[in-house]
Amino acid sequence: MTKRLVLALPGNETFASQLAESLGLATCAVAWRRFPDSETYLRIDANVAGADVLVVCTFVEPDLQILPLLFAARTLRELGALKVTLIAPYLAYMRQDMRFHPGEAITSIHFAKLISDAFDELIAVDPHLHRHKSMDEIYAIPAVVLHAAPFLARWLRENVEALLIVGPDEESEQWVSEVAAGAGAPFVTLRKTRLGDRDVRIAFPDMTQWQGRVPVLVDDIVSSGQTMREAARQLVADGWPQPVCVAVHALFAGDAYETLRRDVSRIVSTNTISHLSNQISIVALISDALSKPRT
Ligand code: R5P
Protein backbone atom coordinates (compact mmCIF):
# COMPACT_ATOMS: atom_id res chain seq x y z
CA MET A 1 0.00 0.00 0.00
CA THR A 2 1.29 3.47 -0.88
CA LYS A 3 2.69 5.38 2.07
CA ARG A 4 0.77 8.60 2.75
CA LEU A 5 2.18 11.63 4.52
CA VAL A 6 0.86 15.08 5.41
CA LEU A 7 3.06 18.14 4.89
CA ALA A 8 2.13 21.56 6.28
CA LEU A 9 3.03 24.86 4.69
CA PRO A 10 4.03 27.35 7.42
CA GLY A 11 0.96 28.44 9.39
CA ASN A 12 -0.93 25.25 8.53
CA GLU A 13 0.63 23.00 11.17
CA THR A 14 -2.43 22.77 13.44
CA PHE A 15 -4.86 21.94 10.65
CA ALA A 16 -2.37 19.51 9.07
CA SER A 17 -1.76 17.64 12.31
CA GLN A 18 -5.53 17.40 12.99
CA LEU A 19 -6.00 16.05 9.47
CA ALA A 20 -3.10 13.59 9.86
CA GLU A 21 -4.50 12.40 13.20
CA SER A 22 -7.96 11.97 11.74
CA LEU A 23 -6.50 9.88 8.90
CA GLY A 24 -4.02 8.00 11.09
CA LEU A 25 -1.08 9.38 9.06
CA ALA A 26 2.30 10.81 9.98
CA THR A 27 3.22 14.41 9.26
CA CYS A 28 6.24 15.08 7.13
CA ALA A 29 9.09 16.88 8.91
CA VAL A 30 10.06 19.99 7.05
CA ALA A 31 12.25 23.00 7.78
CA TRP A 32 11.38 26.41 6.43
CA ARG A 33 13.04 29.73 6.92
CA ARG A 34 13.65 32.96 5.14
CA PHE A 35 17.10 34.08 4.10
CA PRO A 36 17.98 37.65 5.10
CA ASP A 37 16.96 38.82 1.64
CA SER A 38 13.53 37.12 2.18
CA GLU A 39 14.08 34.23 -0.22
CA THR A 40 12.73 30.87 0.97
CA TYR A 41 14.85 28.05 2.40
CA LEU A 42 13.12 24.65 2.43
CA ARG A 43 14.33 21.22 3.52
CA ILE A 44 12.18 18.09 3.63
CA ASP A 45 13.39 15.87 6.47
CA ALA A 46 11.47 12.73 5.59
CA ASN A 47 11.74 9.84 3.20
CA VAL A 48 9.02 10.65 0.68
CA ALA A 49 10.20 8.23 -2.03
CA GLY A 50 7.17 6.34 -3.31
CA ALA A 51 4.80 8.32 -1.06
CA ASP A 52 1.50 10.02 -1.68
CA VAL A 53 2.00 13.43 -0.02
CA LEU A 54 -0.88 15.65 1.06
CA VAL A 55 0.37 19.24 1.16
CA VAL A 56 -1.83 21.47 3.33
CA CYS A 57 -1.93 25.15 2.45
CA THR A 58 -4.85 27.44 3.14
CA PHE A 59 -4.31 30.61 1.16
CA VAL A 60 -4.54 33.42 3.69
CA GLU A 61 -1.65 35.27 2.04
CA PRO A 62 -1.49 33.69 -1.39
CA ASP A 63 1.12 35.98 -2.87
CA LEU A 64 3.56 35.11 -0.08
CA GLN A 65 2.63 31.43 -0.03
CA ILE A 66 2.64 30.48 -3.67
CA LEU A 67 6.42 30.31 -4.21
CA PRO A 68 7.17 28.21 -1.08
CA LEU A 69 4.27 25.96 -2.09
CA LEU A 70 5.59 25.44 -5.61
CA PHE A 71 9.10 24.82 -4.25
CA ALA A 72 7.69 22.18 -1.88
CA ALA A 73 5.76 20.41 -4.66
CA ARG A 74 8.80 20.33 -6.96
CA THR A 75 11.12 19.16 -4.19
CA LEU A 76 8.73 16.37 -3.18
CA ARG A 77 8.75 15.10 -6.76
CA GLU A 78 12.55 15.32 -7.01
CA LEU A 79 12.76 13.27 -3.81
CA GLY A 80 10.58 10.57 -5.34
CA ALA A 81 7.01 11.29 -4.16
CA LEU A 82 4.60 9.43 -6.41
CA LYS A 83 1.66 11.74 -5.96
CA VAL A 84 1.48 15.27 -4.61
CA THR A 85 -1.98 16.54 -3.63
CA LEU A 86 -2.76 20.09 -2.58
CA ILE A 87 -5.25 20.37 0.27
CA ALA A 88 -6.45 23.98 0.19
CA PRO A 89 -9.16 24.47 2.83
CA TYR A 90 -9.40 28.03 1.47
CA LEU A 91 -8.47 28.36 -2.18
CA ALA A 92 -7.54 31.91 -3.14
CA TYR A 93 -7.74 33.71 -6.46
CA MET A 94 -11.21 32.54 -7.39
CA ARG A 95 -12.97 35.92 -7.45
CA GLN A 96 -11.20 37.75 -10.29
CA ASP A 97 -12.82 35.33 -12.71
CA MET A 98 -13.32 37.66 -15.65
CA ARG A 99 -11.90 40.81 -17.17
CA PHE A 100 -14.26 43.37 -15.62
CA HIS A 101 -12.28 46.24 -17.19
CA PRO A 102 -10.03 46.24 -20.26
CA GLY A 103 -6.50 44.99 -19.61
CA GLU A 104 -7.21 43.28 -16.27
CA ALA A 105 -5.51 39.98 -15.45
CA ILE A 106 -7.93 37.08 -15.01
CA THR A 107 -5.95 35.84 -12.04
CA SER A 108 -8.21 32.85 -11.34
CA ILE A 109 -6.90 31.32 -14.58
CA HIS A 110 -3.24 32.18 -14.02
CA PHE A 111 -3.30 30.90 -10.45
CA ALA A 112 -5.01 27.67 -11.54
CA LYS A 113 -2.28 27.11 -14.14
CA LEU A 114 0.48 27.47 -11.52
CA ILE A 115 -1.23 24.94 -9.23
CA SER A 116 -2.11 22.54 -12.06
CA ASP A 117 1.51 22.46 -13.25
CA ALA A 118 2.82 21.58 -9.78
CA PHE A 119 0.26 19.18 -8.27
CA ASP A 120 -1.48 15.97 -9.25
CA GLU A 121 -4.74 16.77 -7.52
CA LEU A 122 -6.44 19.57 -5.61
CA ILE A 123 -8.95 19.36 -2.78
CA ALA A 124 -10.67 22.61 -1.78
CA VAL A 125 -13.56 23.59 0.45
CA ASP A 126 -16.19 25.81 -1.14
CA PRO A 127 -14.00 27.52 -3.72
CA HIS A 128 -15.72 30.67 -4.94
CA LEU A 129 -17.27 29.30 -8.12
CA HIS A 130 -19.30 32.05 -9.69
CA ARG A 131 -18.63 32.87 -13.32
CA HIS A 132 -16.47 29.73 -13.59
CA LYS A 133 -19.14 27.11 -13.09
CA SER A 134 -16.79 24.24 -12.34
CA MET A 135 -13.15 23.81 -11.41
CA ASP A 136 -12.28 21.94 -14.60
CA GLU A 137 -12.90 25.14 -16.56
CA ILE A 138 -9.64 26.47 -15.13
CA TYR A 139 -7.84 23.58 -13.36
CA ALA A 140 -6.11 20.98 -15.55
CA ILE A 141 -5.81 18.47 -12.66
CA PRO A 142 -8.62 16.65 -10.83
CA ALA A 143 -10.07 19.20 -8.42
CA VAL A 144 -12.35 17.92 -5.69
CA VAL A 145 -14.82 20.47 -4.31
CA LEU A 146 -16.09 19.86 -0.79
CA HIS A 147 -19.02 21.70 0.76
CA ALA A 148 -19.10 22.95 4.33
CA ALA A 149 -22.89 23.52 4.19
CA PRO A 150 -23.83 20.41 6.22
CA PHE A 151 -21.40 21.50 8.96
CA LEU A 152 -22.83 25.03 9.00
CA ALA A 153 -26.37 23.64 9.05
CA ARG A 154 -25.62 21.35 11.98
CA TRP A 155 -24.11 24.23 13.98
CA LEU A 156 -27.19 26.36 13.29
CA ARG A 157 -29.59 23.57 14.24
CA GLU A 158 -27.78 23.20 17.55
CA ASN A 159 -27.29 26.89 18.33
CA VAL A 160 -30.00 29.13 16.84
CA GLU A 161 -33.77 28.76 17.07
CA ALA A 162 -36.39 30.07 14.65
CA LEU A 163 -33.86 31.33 12.17
CA LEU A 164 -34.08 32.89 8.74
CA ILE A 165 -31.04 32.30 6.53
CA VAL A 166 -30.07 35.42 4.60
CA GLY A 167 -27.67 35.24 1.66
CA PRO A 168 -26.16 38.67 1.03
CA ASP A 169 -25.97 38.37 -2.76
CA GLU A 170 -27.26 36.34 -5.66
CA GLU A 171 -24.23 34.07 -5.91
CA SER A 172 -24.63 33.09 -2.25
CA GLU A 173 -27.80 31.17 -3.16
CA GLN A 174 -25.72 28.05 -3.91
CA TRP A 175 -24.53 28.00 -0.27
CA VAL A 176 -27.54 29.37 1.57
CA SER A 177 -30.05 27.07 -0.09
CA GLU A 178 -28.06 24.03 1.07
CA VAL A 179 -27.49 25.42 4.57
CA ALA A 180 -31.18 26.31 4.88
CA ALA A 181 -32.27 22.83 3.78
CA GLY A 182 -29.91 21.23 6.31
CA ALA A 183 -30.97 23.59 9.09
CA GLY A 184 -34.68 23.20 8.29
CA ALA A 185 -35.06 26.96 7.89
CA PRO A 186 -36.37 29.31 5.20
CA PHE A 187 -33.93 31.48 3.26
CA VAL A 188 -33.87 34.69 1.25
CA THR A 189 -31.13 36.15 -0.90
CA LEU A 190 -30.37 39.84 -1.21
CA ARG A 191 -29.08 41.74 -4.25
CA LYS A 192 -25.60 43.21 -3.94
CA THR A 193 -23.91 45.76 -6.16
CA ARG A 194 -20.18 46.14 -5.57
CA LEU A 195 -18.95 49.65 -6.24
CA GLY A 196 -15.41 49.13 -4.90
CA ASP A 197 -13.29 46.81 -2.72
CA ARG A 198 -14.95 48.21 0.41
CA ASP A 199 -18.11 49.73 -1.01
CA VAL A 200 -21.23 47.63 -1.53
CA ARG A 201 -24.93 48.44 -1.88
CA ILE A 202 -27.53 45.86 -0.95
CA ALA A 203 -31.18 45.69 -1.99
CA PHE A 204 -33.67 43.72 0.13
CA PRO A 205 -36.74 41.79 -1.03
CA ASP A 206 -39.98 41.96 0.99
CA MET A 207 -39.24 39.81 4.07
CA THR A 208 -42.30 40.63 6.21
CA GLN A 209 -43.57 37.03 6.18
CA TRP A 210 -40.44 35.99 8.17
CA GLN A 211 -40.66 38.66 10.87
CA GLY A 212 -40.03 37.28 14.36
CA ARG A 213 -37.23 35.00 13.16
CA VAL A 214 -33.52 35.49 13.92
CA PRO A 215 -31.67 36.57 10.76
CA VAL A 216 -28.52 34.56 10.03
CA LEU A 217 -26.24 35.98 7.33
CA VAL A 218 -24.42 33.16 5.57
CA ASP A 219 -21.62 33.74 3.07
CA ASP A 220 -18.65 31.83 1.73
CA ILE A 221 -16.01 34.51 2.38
CA VAL A 222 -15.74 37.47 4.71
CA SER A 223 -12.88 39.65 3.55
CA SER A 224 -13.35 43.38 4.18
CA GLY A 225 -16.57 42.47 6.02
CA GLN A 226 -18.47 45.16 4.14
CA THR A 227 -20.94 42.74 2.55
CA MET A 228 -21.98 41.32 5.92
CA ARG A 229 -21.83 44.74 7.59
CA GLU A 230 -24.02 46.51 5.06
CA ALA A 231 -26.57 43.68 5.17
CA ALA A 232 -26.54 43.69 8.99
CA ARG A 233 -27.01 47.45 9.22
CA GLN A 234 -29.94 47.42 6.83
CA LEU A 235 -31.57 44.53 8.68
CA VAL A 236 -31.37 46.44 11.94
CA ALA A 237 -32.60 49.64 10.26
CA ASP A 238 -35.61 47.64 9.02
CA GLY A 239 -36.47 46.53 12.57
CA TRP A 240 -34.77 43.11 12.64
CA PRO A 241 -32.57 42.03 15.56
CA GLN A 242 -28.80 42.11 15.00
CA PRO A 243 -28.01 39.07 12.86
CA VAL A 244 -25.76 36.11 13.51
CA CYS A 245 -23.02 35.92 10.84
CA VAL A 246 -21.79 32.55 9.62
CA ALA A 247 -18.96 32.26 7.11
CA VAL A 248 -16.97 29.41 5.66
CA HIS A 249 -13.74 31.33 5.09
CA ALA A 250 -12.84 33.88 7.79
CA LEU A 251 -10.36 36.06 5.92
CA PHE A 252 -11.19 39.24 7.91
CA ALA A 253 -8.74 41.66 6.34
CA GLY A 254 -7.34 44.36 8.65
CA ASP A 255 -9.86 45.41 11.33
CA ALA A 256 -12.83 43.82 9.52
CA TYR A 257 -13.67 41.50 12.42
CA GLU A 258 -13.67 44.21 15.10
CA THR A 259 -15.72 46.50 12.87
CA LEU A 260 -18.29 43.86 11.97
CA ARG A 261 -18.67 42.83 15.63
CA ARG A 262 -20.35 46.18 16.35
CA ASP A 263 -23.24 45.47 13.98
CA VAL A 264 -23.97 41.79 14.60
CA SER A 265 -24.83 39.60 17.55
CA ARG A 266 -22.33 36.84 16.83
CA ILE A 267 -19.74 35.81 14.22
CA VAL A 268 -19.04 32.16 13.57
CA SER A 269 -16.77 30.54 11.00
CA THR A 270 -15.24 27.24 10.00
CA ASN A 271 -11.55 26.56 10.53
CA THR A 272 -10.59 26.62 6.84
CA ILE A 273 -8.72 29.73 7.99
CA SER A 274 -7.53 29.91 11.58
CA HIS A 275 -9.40 32.78 13.27
CA LEU A 276 -10.87 33.55 16.67
CA SER A 277 -14.38 33.24 15.20
CA ASN A 278 -13.78 29.55 14.36
CA GLN A 279 -16.50 27.37 15.92
CA ILE A 280 -17.01 24.76 13.22
CA SER A 281 -14.28 22.26 12.35
CA ILE A 282 -14.30 20.92 8.80
CA VAL A 283 -11.32 18.59 9.30
CA ALA A 284 -13.71 15.62 9.10
CA LEU A 285 -15.07 16.90 5.77
CA ILE A 286 -11.60 16.61 4.24
CA SER A 287 -10.55 13.43 6.03
CA ASP A 288 -13.79 11.69 4.99
CA ALA A 289 -13.16 12.66 1.36
CA LEU A 290 -9.59 11.36 1.60
CA SER A 291 -10.74 8.13 3.21
CA LYS A 292 -12.86 7.17 0.20
CA PRO A 293 -11.24 4.97 -2.45
CA ARG A 294 -9.24 7.16 -4.84
CA THR A 295 -7.40 6.75 -8.13
C1 R5P B 1 -18.53 37.61 -3.05
O1 R5P B 1 -18.30 37.44 -4.16
C2 R5P B 1 -18.32 36.68 -1.91
O2 R5P B 1 -19.28 35.66 -1.89
C3 R5P B 1 -18.38 37.47 -0.63
O3 R5P B 1 -19.65 38.05 -0.50
C4 R5P B 1 -17.33 38.54 -0.64
O4 R5P B 1 -16.08 38.00 -0.93
C5 R5P B 1 -17.28 39.25 0.69
O5 R5P B 1 -16.32 40.24 0.60
P1 R5P B 1 -16.27 41.43 1.64
O6 R5P B 1 -16.22 40.85 3.01
O7 R5P B 1 -15.00 42.16 1.29
O8 R5P B 1 -17.47 42.27 1.41
Side-chain angles (χ1 to χ4, degrees):
M1 204 172 110
T2 310
K3 176 171 67 171
R4 250 180 174 184
L5 291 167
V6 179
L7 184 150
L9 260 276
N12 291 265
E13 293 80 1
T14 303
F15 194 98
S17 59
Q18 288 173 358
L19 182 65
E21 190 182 339
S22 167
L23 289 163
L25 302 178
T27 51
C28 181
V30 55
W32 307 89
R33 71 180 176 85
R34 291 217 176 260
F35 287 107
D37 60 4
S38 88
E39 288 183 0
T40 292
Y41 171 86
L42 160 65
R43 189 183 69 243
I44 293 170
D45 289 325
N47 177 10
V48 296
D52 171 358
V53 184
L54 308 171
V55 178
V56 180
C57 178
T58 206
F59 286 103
V60 276
E61 290 188 296
D63 293 12
L64 292 179
Q65 293 169 298
I66 189 70
L67 265 186
L69 180 68
L70 298 180
F71 293 152
R74 282 177 177 267
T75 307
L76 286 165
R77 280 192 205 292
E78 286 166 8
L79 298 177
L82 280 186
K83 182 175 178 187
V84 186
T85 299
L86 173 59
I87 311 287
Y90 170 61
L91 180 65
Y93 277 115
M94 288 298 290
R95 284 175 291 174
Q96 183 74 24
D97 54 3
M98 66 174 278
R99 193 165 280 132
F100 298 93
H101 302 287
E104 285 179 349
I106 308 174
T107 48
S108 57
I109 294 177
H110 302 317
F111 193 76
K113 171 98 173 84
L114 288 173
I115 299 293
S116 298
D117 286 347
F119 289 88
D120 296 299
E121 188 177 22
L122 165 67
I123 296 179
V125 178
D126 288 320
H128 188 84
L129 287 167
H130 183 200
R131 281 158 289 257
H132 301 310
K133 297 296 173 213
S134 68
M135 296 292 275
D136 59 15
E137 285 181 21
I138 52 172
Y139 279 84
I141 52 174
V144 178
V145 170
L146 303 175
H147 298 290
F151 291 68
L152 268 46
R154 185 172 64 208
W155 186 90
L156 287 167
R157 277 200 312 273
E158 291 169 358
N159 291 279
V160 188
E161 282 177 12
L163 60 157
L164 169 66
I165 308 275
V166 181
D169 51 28
E170 284 159 304
E171 66 225 57
S172 70
E173 183 156 341
Q174 58 185 305
W175 301 287
V176 295
S177 55
E178 212 183 321
V179 174
F187 76 91
V188 294
T189 51
L190 313 179
R191 298 287 169 266
K192 177 172 83 179
T193 309
R194 187 174 283 284
L195 304 173
D197 289 347
R198 293 170 193 276
D199 189 4
V200 297
R201 299 281 186 279
I202 294 183
F204 278 63
D206 179 7
M207 291 164 43
T208 41
Q209 66 172 312
W210 307 118
Q211 252 157 19
R213 287 182 173 261
V214 176
V216 177
L217 287 164
V218 174
D219 208 353
D220 60 336
I221 300 168
V222 187
S223 178
S224 71
Q226 284 306 314
T227 300
M228 288 273 196
R229 186 162 181 241
E230 189 55 32
R233 285 157 75 107
Q234 285 195 46
L235 281 166
V236 172
D238 289 348
W240 292 79
Q242 282 194 331
V244 175
C245 291
V246 180
V248 180
H249 307 299
L251 274 175
F252 288 109
D255 63 355
Y257 179 74
E258 292 71 23
T259 307
L260 181 62
R261 275 296 286 126
R262 292 183 213 130
D263 292 300
V264 304
S265 65
R266 194 167 178 186
I267 303 174
V268 171
S269 63
T270 79
N271 61 341
T272 59
I273 294 170
S274 174
H275 187 262
L276 54 90
S277 61
N278 291 169
Q279 293 281 322
I280 305 167
S281 172
I282 51 80
V283 171
L285 177 66
I286 297 178
S287 65
D288 285 355
L290 286 164
S291 301
K292 291 187 183 138
R294 316 173 61 70
T295 51

